[in-house]
Amino acid sequence: MSSPAVDGTRTAGPDRPDRTGRPAPPARRRRALPRLGPLPWIGPAVLLILVVVVWPVVEMVRTSLRRIDTSGTDHGPAGLVKYRKLFADPRLPDVLLWTAVWTVVVVGLTMLLSLGLAQLFNQRFPGRRITRWALIAPWAASVLMTAIGFRWMLDQVAGVLNRLLLDLGLIDHARAWTGDAAQAKPWLVLVAVFVSLPFTTYTLLAGLQTVPNEVYEAARVDGASPWQTYRKVTLPLLRPAFLVALVVNLINVFNSFPVIWGMTQGGPNTDTATTTVFMYMLRGYDVAESAAMSVVNFAAVVVLVLLFLRTSGWNQEENR
């Protein structure tokens, strides 16, 4: 109940109007916002995830269970027919094997080279700033444009690589570097590592720069050799940044499309196609089977990341 003010007017209570004539908000309305907790702040992000991630996945699963022709006409439910058709495809085992090899080799080389580059860029040397800027170039350029540029460089007729090797006498005839799977695969790996180095190197470099100098000084006082310091001090403290870079690279390389499509389009036949490229190739004559391949691909990524996080003990510090 409101009490009279000094000047004889009544102060605004929960249900009485204030001096402007507008009713004051009820007490329960004022307490409603704290009850929502962080929802007003995380709500937009949750909505974005629902629209960008969850809804496409639901549509992808739904499409894989329908009979849809190349014109987009839906002819009704198909059950698991498209999945059986996909797993009966004789090309699928080779695609899965190459996807596994591709992911392991590209991610392994990327992490190894980035570790060395990050260690180098963490030291002081003349021209360090310029070399750091130069490393950003593959990251700044479009991955598809980079892949197409390499494809033209490797072209059998107009490619600069063939001309250079012929002039140096290293080959006796021009080669179709991307026309044969055995020769194309090493080049695909090289280009994939080339475009993955900037992000990985800078992630590891950021991790290295968080290591306090006092830790290194303590290691020197204890008589640790440079290799012992790197193995016992640097690598353990670099572990969080290393895990972030590794997980992001696993997802990106496993789902890599522009490099392979820009250089070989998965050919010849499907010899250089990963699951992502194979999925895109299927969409030309069976949309539902392509969606089934997408579901398998998505499930494989989720399982891969969960297994890695479980075996790596990424949250062991929080559980202690």
Side-chain angles (χ1 to χ4, degrees):
M1 184 174 180
S2 61
S3 58
V6 176
D7 58 358
T9 62
R10 291 181 178 270
T11 58
D15 300 315
R16 294 181 181 277
D18 58 14
R19 293 183 179 181
T20 62
R22 293 175 297 185
R28 62 178 180 272
R29 193 175 301 170
R30 292 198 298 268
R31 293 194 298 266
L33 188 59
R35 288 178 182 176
L36 293 176
L39 186 60
W41 289 268
I42 67 173
V46 172
L47 181 62
L48 182 64
I49 292 174
L50 291 175
V51 173
V52 176
V53 178
V54 177
W55 179 70
V57 171
V58 172
E59 282 296 306
M60 183 173 64
V61 174
R62 188 190 69 83
T63 302
S64 68
L65 301 174
R66 311 291 294 180
R67 298 182 187 274
I68 303 176
D69 58 28
T70 54
S71 65
T73 304
D74 191 341
H75 298 281
L80 299 177
V81 171
K82 299 303 178 180
Y83 289 92
R84 289 194 288 268
K85 180 182 177 182
L86 173 66
F87 288 114
D89 195 318
R91 300 170 295 178
L92 185 61
D94 291 334
V95 170
L96 292 175
L97 177 61
W98 167 235
T99 302
V101 173
W102 159 265
T103 304
V104 171
V105 173
V106 173
V107 173
L109 289 176
T110 299
M111 297 303 299
L112 185 62
L113 294 175
S114 297
L115 203 56
L117 286 172
Q119 194 67 39
L120 173 64
F121 289 153
N122 199 37
Q123 309 298 321
R124 294 186 179 276
F125 59 88
R128 183 178 67 166
R129 180 176 298 180
I130 296 176
T131 54
R132 283 184 174 183
W133 288 348
L135 186 64
I136 300 177
W139 196 12
S142 165
V143 177
L144 182 60
M145 289 177 57
T146 302
I148 293 174
F150 271 92
R151 185 186 70 189
W152 281 108
M153 184 187 75
L154 301 172
D155 185 74
Q156 185 175 10
V157 177
V160 65
L161 180 64
N162 274 316
R163 174 50 54 194
L164 176 63
L165 295 179
L166 285 171
D167 291 344
L168 294 175
L170 298 178
I171 58 175
D172 54 2
H173 64 279
R175 298 182 182 179
W177 298 101
T178 58
D180 176 69
Q183 297 184 91
K185 286 179 178 180
W187 285 105
L188 292 173
V189 170
L190 175 66
V191 176
V193 171
F194 177 71
V195 299
S196 302
L197 280 177
F199 167 79
T200 313
T201 299
Y202 275 100
T203 301
L204 297 178
L205 179 60
L208 285 174
Q209 292 180 340
T210 62
V211 179
N213 290 328
E214 293 80 5
V215 177
Y216 293 119
E217 293 175 1
R220 283 194 295 268
V221 170
D222 290 340
S225 65
W227 169 243
Q228 289 175 328
T229 302
Y230 187 73
R231 187 165 57 91
K232 298 291 186 178
V233 176
T234 303
L235 288 181
L237 295 176
L238 190 60
R239 186 171 177 272
F242 188 89
L243 289 178
V244 169
L246 187 56
V247 171
V248 171
N249 272 287
L250 282 172
I251 297 173
N252 286 344
V253 174
F254 187 88
N255 290 314
S256 180
F257 177 81
V259 172
I260 296 177
W261 190 258
M263 293 183 66
T264 65
Q265 295 188 349
N269 300 318
T270 57
D271 293 342
T272 60
T274 58
T275 53
T276 304
V277 177
F278 187 57
M279 169 195 69
Y280 189 75
M281 297 169 73
L282 289 174
R283 66 79 176 87
Y285 54 89
D286 196 329
V287 176
E289 186 180 355
S290 176
M293 185 72 253
S294 301
V295 174
V296 173
N297 210 40
F298 178 78
V301 171
V302 173
V303 171
L304 178 67
V305 173
L306 290 178
L307 286 176
F308 171 78
L309 293 178
R310 182 177 179 83
T311 56
S312 64
W314 64 280
N315 62 342
Q316 62 182 5
E317 293 183 359
E318 287 80 356
N319 293 335
R320 289 177 182 176

